[in-house]
Amino acid sequence: MTDRIDRLLAQHAARYGVRHDVAVFRAPGRVNLIGEHTDYNDGFVLPVAIDRDILIAAAPRNDGRVALYAMHDGTAVEFALDRIAVAPGDGWVRYAKGVAAVLQDEGARLRGLEGVIEGTVPIGAGLSSSAALEVATALAFCAFGTADFTWTRLAQVCQRAENDYVGVRCGIMDQFIACLARPHTALFLDCRSLAYEHIPFDAPGYAVVIANTNRPRGLVDSAYNERRQECEAGVRLIQQYVPVVRALRDVSTELFARYRTNLPDRIGRRCEHVITENERVQQSVNALRRGNLDRFGRLMNASHDSLRDRYEVSCRELDVMVDIARSSPGVVGSRMTGAGFGGCTINLVAADRVDRLEQAIRERYPACTGFRPDVYVCQPAGGAERVKG
Ligand code: GLA
């Protein structure tokens, strides 16, 4: 970390001149243990922050302008805080513009800044590089301006930035875990009340292994928004019979069984995934509290199968990756993680079998898919923070 910060500060000095008021902020990526596509249905999730993050070195300016440089692709952008608009060619700057605009809309008085951004969260791999970027830039803006937000509200600001300025109707999970993670724990979050609990996730003898399919993820955003609409359609249909239902969170499996046949098949399968996944999250928390990792692994497997068959957000590459893991010794559970359509799988593996798993993936995955995988062994990390200055 020290080396990265030094390089970031050197880059900041090279671009903007040597200053003594440069601060560095960090926000982590995440991997979701279980609870997929439940957050925007007022349900439950169980993510952990990973030891891969986005850093921004920033210093304030007095002219109300924001200048940012991203080290990963060498692009520089600039915009004025009093005239924020997303332009068609905007890439990652949409996140920063969105965060600044929503913060101001929610009452913050911001100063301009000049920043350099760097990160170790793979981009577009379903490990929430976007939420990490949003939260890291939000911290920088808040530090130099007049802004008083709780972590929960900051997560909501960043979610709104993504909803309104990027056009993805994402839920709160990614921004929430980036803000509120604690090392060695998973975060059990009720996405309706936003009540949360840190569940110890040390699992001695086990490792969390993330396997990146590296399949390019085209059209994820539109498919994601479409799933959300299908859930909303399901709620409207169920409401005709049970008006108190506000979201799929309110539908138990017993209640659902009564009305399932009244729903069109596709909508029924989408709802069934969300309803059973909410149960699996709660069962997983119980399993983890009792240290029953085998049970938790079986719930992870069931989650993947449901995402593949009912929610239809998996893809061949994810299924191949999961199959390889499940046939590798010492793997207790394997599933796709994040929105889907590519991205990563998460695997819970006996620590002394991690090498075997990695070898199996490296040998078999490219032969089956034509893509080269990446494998990351990760530690549950802490949430966003100011790391320097
Ligand atoms: C993306 C979204 C989250 C969540 C997951 C699926 O990561 O940003 O809000 O919906 O997909 O669980």
Side-chain angles (χ1 to χ4, degrees):
M1 179 64 97
T2 330
D3 284 1
R4 281 173 65 202
I5 293 177
D6 288 348
R7 278 199 301 276
L8 196 59
L9 291 173
Q11 185 64 239
H12 196 279
R15 294 197 70 83
Y16 306 114
V18 177
R19 299 183 51 163
H20 298 289
D21 50 357
V22 184
V24 180
F25 306 87
R26 142 187 185 276
R30 66 99 188 89
V31 66
N32 191 16
L33 296 182
I34 196 161
E36 221 63 86
H37 291 278
T38 45
D39 60 352
Y40 53 83
N41 288 298
D42 275 3
F44 302 99
V45 292
L46 190 64
V48 297
I50 56 175
D51 48 352
R52 286 175 168 260
D53 46 39
I54 302 249
L55 298 178
I56 173 167
R61 11 196 300 180
N62 294 323
D63 61 357
R65 295 188 68 78
V66 177
L68 293 170
Y69 173 75
M71 285 173 66
H72 78 276
D73 64 359
T75 51
V77 291
E78 202 170 320
F79 63 92
L81 284 171
D82 61 353
R83 279 187 311 277
I84 297 180
V86 173
D90 280 352
W92 55 265
V93 72
R94 285 175 303 169
Y95 299 100
K97 284 184 176 176
V99 164
V102 178
L103 279 170
Q104 295 187 113
D105 192 50
E106 305 243 336
R109 290 218 314 277
L110 302 186
R111 285 173 77 187
L113 58 78
E114 44 204 20
V116 177
I117 298 165
E118 179 262 357
T120 51
V121 190
I123 296 170
L127 300 176
S128 288
S129 53
S130 337
L133 177 58
E134 289 154 13
V135 172
T137 43
L139 282 191
F141 281 123
C142 289
F144 302 140
T146 313
D148 189 14
F149 291 89
T150 61
W151 283 114
T152 296
R153 232 182 116 214
L154 204 64
Q156 289 173 309
V157 162
C158 292
Q159 179 199 13
R160 217 188 112 197
E162 187 149 346
N163 291 168
D164 296 354
Y165 286 81
V166 184
V168 182
R169 295 181 64 211
C170 64
I172 189 78
M173 169 169 69
D174 306 343
Q175 293 79 10
F176 206 94
I177 181 73
C179 287
L180 282 134
R182 268 197 214 145
H184 311 295
T185 64
L187 189 127
F188 176 36
L189 172 66
D190 177 338
C191 299
R192 171 172 279 167
S193 67
L194 299 186
Y196 60 91
E197 205 182 325
H198 292 101
I199 309 291
F201 187 66
D202 260 334
Y206 290 87
V208 173
V209 175
I210 297 174
N212 189 347
T213 62
N214 281 321
R215 175 194 138 120
R217 298 167 79 216
L219 300 177
V220 184
D221 298 355
S222 57
Y224 182 92
N225 290 346
E226 190 181 289
R227 292 297 181 284
R228 195 167 168 159
Q229 280 161 13
E230 288 167 346
C231 291
E232 287 161 0
V235 169
R236 281 194 299 276
L237 290 168
I238 297 169
Q239 272 171 346
Q240 294 177 0
Y241 310 98
V242 194
V244 291
V245 166
R246 279 161 47 208
L248 289 178
R249 146 72 173 274
D250 302 313
V251 184
S252 65
T253 36
E254 296 75 33
L255 184 72
F256 185 63
R258 251 183 278 155
Y259 301 104
R260 170 80 158 92
T261 49
N262 302 5
L263 306 183
D265 175 60
R266 186 162 41 87
I267 303 284
R269 281 186 290 120
R270 304 296 189 250
C271 295
E272 193 172 0
H273 164 71
V274 174
I275 292 163
T276 56
E277 184 81 351
N278 273 330
E279 292 195 332
R280 283 187 288 273
V281 178
Q282 295 171 82
Q283 290 163 355
S284 296
V285 170
N286 289 334
L288 289 178
R289 282 205 177 104
R290 292 195 308 269
N292 189 344
L293 291 175
D294 285 330
R295 165 102 178 110
F296 174 53
R298 285 195 297 278
L299 291 162
M300 289 173 74
N301 290 343
S303 167
H304 181 81
D305 298 352
S306 178
L307 287 157
R308 181 190 61 209
D309 302 335
R310 296 172 177 145
Y311 217 65
E312 295 180 284
V313 290
S314 188
C315 60
R316 182 159 175 275
E317 291 77 6
L318 284 167
D319 293 341
V320 166
M321 196 71 99
V322 161
D323 289 344
I324 294 170
R326 287 185 188 170
S327 62
S328 186
V331 174
V332 294
S334 178
R335 58 180 288 272
M336 56 153 275
T337 184
F341 309 103
C344 294
T345 65
I346 173 171
N347 307 277
L348 190 63
V349 194
D352 57 356
R353 299 302 182 115
V354 170
D355 292 348
R356 280 284 290 276
L357 172 62
E358 185 163 350
Q359 195 191 352
I361 291 172
R362 293 205 186 282
E363 278 172 18
R364 291 173 53 198
Y365 177 77
C368 295
T369 63
F371 293 110
R372 247 170 39 92
D374 282 310
V375 177
Y376 326 110
V377 180
C378 75
Q379 306 299 329
E385 60 187 335
R386 185 176 187 138
V387 286
K388 191 181 182 327

